[in-house]
Amino acid sequence: TSLDFRLKADLLWGDQIIVSASRGSEKVLDAPASVSVIDGGQMADIPTINVAESVRSEGGVDMVKTGLLANATVVRGFNNVFSGALLTLMDNRIGRVPSLRINVNSFIPVTNQDIERIEIVRGPGSALYGPNSANGVMHIITRSPIGSEGTSIGIGGGERSLRNGSFRHAVSKDGKIGFKISGQYFAGTDWKYEDPIELQANNGANPRDYDLAKYSGEARFDFRPSDDTEIILSAGMSNSDLIEMTGLGAGQAKSWKYQHVQGRVRYRDWFGQIFYNKSDAGDTRLLRTNDPIVDKSTLSVFQLQHSPSIGERQRFTYGGDVLFTRPNTEGTISGSHENDDDVNEYGVYIQSESSLSDQVELVLAGRYDSHNHLDEKNFSPRAALV
């Protein structure tokens, strides 16, 4: 008697490997923080139009819908319509708008088919990530083209004239070279609201344009010359027409472009990356005053990290970050500080993970940050017993 069978790969939740809690690979149960992982395989079957909607049911996450496409997402509470308290990363790259330091998740050029997983780290992340991470980290990790070859297409529609289409295509050769491209198109009609202040400023006419549209795309190239080395190059952009809430009322975004280029290298225990984010608000204005909102800001980041191990019970993670934020708002955002709003940030950090026994691990970390507009330097400590 012969019997044929096939083994199927599956996910063991208790042994998931994550990278956000300690800026290095570790099992989720060993992480010195409260971590949630949303599997990309589940997300591909959920009809969401914004990546943040996939995390709204997680414990400790507060997501407020502020429009058909727009939302405000934080952890540890303290939500508002202009929040940047949650550090949002996509493949280790900061995803916020540079000049405003806010998270506009709809600007992130990613499709559900391309997401491998989303990691939510609740609690302060300043000891490792520095500025804008005191309330936690949301890390969106996309799939490498190597090992995820093929083509995926998604089409959706619904109320409020919703039309949504997305695609992903990936190819590879010999497990060493891979390329992928993905894109998305969205259109719909936002919920209508008449703001009395907006009506007064426009002689009784409603200035809002409720027709929303967005298109985005990203390309990525992976090169693995050896088992110890990985080189990744990527670039993406999004173009959005939407209504976005601010602390001064609603803003009408027209052709707001968000672009990035990124290069990453991993060699054994070393990791380095350079990325450049650029924001261009296009023809955007504040609806209560009809004043233009000009934003041609950029963010340039350089990072280097080393994670050596000493024996089987001691591991260190140390590194440094350099961030250059260059706002260009023509006085509409920075006001009288327009000519003195460049921000230079430098940070160094170190973390020690010591296995005191087979059951107990001690984690100690500290980070030192310098900001050119602050007289005092900032020190962020961390301690955990797992």
Side-chain angles (χ1 to χ4, degrees), residues 6-321:
R6 179 179 297 171
L7 296 178
K8 177 184 176 183
D10 203 354
L11 188 65
L12 300 178
W13 289 95
D15 285 337
Q16 274 186 298
I17 302 299
I18 62 173
V19 297
S20 303
S22 299
R23 293 186 76 156
S25 299
E26 62 186 340
K27 295 180 180 179
V28 66
L29 292 180
D30 295 337
S34 176
V35 183
S36 295
V37 181
I38 299 89
D39 178 41
Q42 300 172 346
M43 294 179 56
D45 299 325
I46 301 175
T48 59
I49 57 177
N50 189 306
V51 63
E53 295 183 21
S54 302
V55 304
R56 60 186 172 187
S57 62
E58 296 299 315
V61 176
D62 181 24
M63 194 200 81
V64 177
K65 288 283 288 182
T66 58
L68 187 62
L69 187 60
N71 65 69
T73 305
V74 300
V75 298
R76 304 181 76 207
F78 308 109
N79 205 346
N80 61 70
V81 297
F82 224 40
S83 179
L86 175 66
L87 178 62
T88 301
L89 304 175
M90 177 179 167
D91 292 332
N92 298 286
R93 177 182 59 83
I94 296 172
R96 62 176 180 255
V97 176
S99 62
L100 296 169
R101 291 189 177 234
I102 62 166
N103 298 317
V104 183
N105 295 316
S106 56
F107 287 174
I108 299 176
V110 63
T111 65
N112 280 6
Q113 298 102 318
D114 200 28
I115 296 177
E116 178 179 313
R117 66 186 185 275
I118 299 178
E119 299 177 3
I120 301 289
V121 182
R122 289 177 287 270
S126 302
L128 292 178
Y129 291 96
N132 297 97
S133 60
N135 281 22
V137 178
M138 179 172 75
H139 193 176
I140 304 164
I141 300 172
T142 63
R143 296 192 291 166
S144 169
I146 302 176
S148 64
E149 300 81 359
T151 302
S152 301
I153 298 176
I155 299 175
E159 298 180 15
R160 312 212 62 80
S161 303
L162 176 66
R163 291 98 68 197
N164 187 28
S166 61
F167 76 95
R168 179 188 187 270
H169 177 68
V171 295
S172 69
K173 182 178 180 180
D174 300 330
K176 293 183 178 295
I177 299 176
F179 175 78
K180 73 174 182 181
I181 185 171
S182 61
Q184 182 180 34
Y185 172 78
F186 164 85
T189 302
D190 213 336
W191 287 284
K192 295 186 177 181
Y193 173 72
E194 294 185 350
D195 186 332
I197 301 179
E198 294 176 14
L199 296 177
Q200 183 179 0
N202 291 272
N203 298 320
N206 194 335
R208 297 195 179 199
D209 182 357
Y210 297 104
D211 292 331
L212 311 181
K214 170 195 171 182
Y215 61 86
S216 64
E218 187 188 35
R220 170 172 159 175
F221 173 78
D222 286 29
F223 179 46
R224 299 176 182 174
S226 67
D227 294 339
D228 296 331
T229 307
E230 182 179 46
I231 302 171
I232 300 174
L233 304 175
S234 63
M237 64 84 62
S238 67
N239 187 304
S240 304
D241 298 334
L242 74 159
I243 299 174
E244 183 70 28
M245 298 296 106
T246 79
L248 301 174
Q252 184 82 55
K254 287 288 187 180
S255 298
W256 193 311
K257 296 180 177 64
Y258 187 81
Q259 306 169 65
H260 78 268
V261 292
Q262 180 182 19
R264 293 179 280 161
V265 177
R266 188 180 301 277
Y267 175 70
R268 295 184 179 176
D269 297 329
W270 289 92
F271 171 77
Q273 72 166 347
I274 300 174
F275 64 83
Y276 175 82
N277 295 343
K278 182 179 180 181
S279 173
D280 187 344
D283 185 19
T284 298
R285 70 186 191 278
L286 193 64
L287 291 173
R288 286 187 169 185
T289 62
N290 275 326
D291 291 332
I293 299 176
V294 178
D295 179 33
K296 299 177 181 178
S297 59
T298 63
L299 172 66
S300 303
V301 177
F302 308 85
Q303 296 178 326
L304 182 65
Q305 176 178 291
H306 187 212
S307 302
S309 297
I310 302 176
E312 297 181 354
R313 292 188 175 272
Q314 180 63 46
R315 178 187 177 188
F316 290 99
T317 300
Y318 64 92
D321 307 320

